[in-house]
Amino acid sequence: MAIVDTMLRQGFVTRHDLDQQLAKHQRRRGSKRARLVFETADGTPTDQFISCLRTRLMLAGLPRPQLRHLLRHDSGLEVITEIAWPEHHVTIEFDTRATMLLTYRGWLVIHATRERIRRDFPAVLHEVRQALTRRGAHLDTRYNAGRNGAQQLRLAVHPVAL
């Protein structure tokens, strides 16, 4: 996942290139897994950790988060959240500097350092689920959205990244 995100971000491949490869190899072994990875990757993550975190959250049945969401305050101050659900005003923040502005603007902020996410992902996931539910999101009640798709995509995410 992270490799495809990086290739898209750095312009080594385009979405069209990925679609062509899928069409060319649609009957080959691994093509279903490749399709899931290519459909999820968008080139937005700035590092492997964010790419894999987004994937794990989606595999857990959460809606696709927006990465690098820009929030502007009336004063001109700007905050870029690494991973957020803007339609629900929920974000995961790795450092606390933006918290005051985000909460002032009505956002629910889940504080989670990268180390905490690596060490205790289920607890962070639970907090995000609760926050999204409080904000009206209708979540997949199963922890794996789409059994076959989730299993295939899970195999494509490098376990060491998180």
Side-chain angles (χ1 to χ4, degrees):
M1 181 65 66
I3 291 170
V4 177
D5 271 329
T6 300
M7 291 173 68
L8 284 166
R9 185 177 64 255
Q10 294 181 355
F12 293 122
V13 297
T14 64
R15 174 74 43 208
H16 179 71
D17 296 333
L18 296 176
D19 292 342
Q20 280 185 321
Q21 289 303 311
L22 284 173
K24 183 178 175 182
H25 301 287
Q26 66 184 346
R27 298 199 193 289
R28 294 187 73 178
R29 185 172 186 222
S31 64
K32 288 181 183 178
R33 185 181 308 165
R35 177 176 303 287
L36 290 164
V37 171
F38 291 178
E39 287 174 354
T40 302
D42 62 9
T44 305
T46 55
D47 64 35
Q48 182 179 4
F49 181 85
I50 299 296
S51 180
C52 292
L53 177 58
R54 171 190 59 193
T55 303
R56 288 186 74 187
L57 292 165
M58 290 171 61
L59 287 173
L62 299 184
R64 183 186 191 102
Q66 183 174 334
L67 306 181
R68 307 217 25 92
H69 176 71
L70 175 64
L71 182 70
R72 288 190 177 98
H73 188 268
D74 299 336
S75 68
L77 183 64
E78 294 181 344
V79 172
I80 298 176
T81 62
E82 285 295 331
I83 193 157
W85 294 265
E87 64 278 11
H88 301 292
H89 286 92
V90 172
T91 185
I92 299 173
E93 281 299 306
F94 303 129
D95 85 45
T96 58
R97 288 179 283 183
T99 300
M100 190 164 17
L101 176 61
L102 288 164
T103 54
Y104 174 76
R105 296 289 299 266
W107 285 66
L108 289 177
V109 178
I110 290 93
H111 296 284
T113 62
R114 289 174 181 237
E115 179 57 35
R116 179 173 174 235
I117 292 168
R118 283 185 191 102
R119 188 183 67 250
D120 198 9
F121 179 76
V124 174
L125 175 62
H126 180 72
E127 290 176 39
V128 174
R129 279 183 167 282
Q130 285 184 321
L132 287 169
T133 301
R134 270 187 267 148
R135 290 299 173 94
H138 301 287
L139 305 179
D140 186 344
T141 56
R142 300 165 292 156
Y143 264 43
N144 289 323
R147 187 173 159 248
N148 291 335
Q151 178 62 27
Q152 291 294 321
L153 192 53
R154 185 179 299 109
L155 296 172
V157 177
H158 195 283
V160 175
L162 277 179

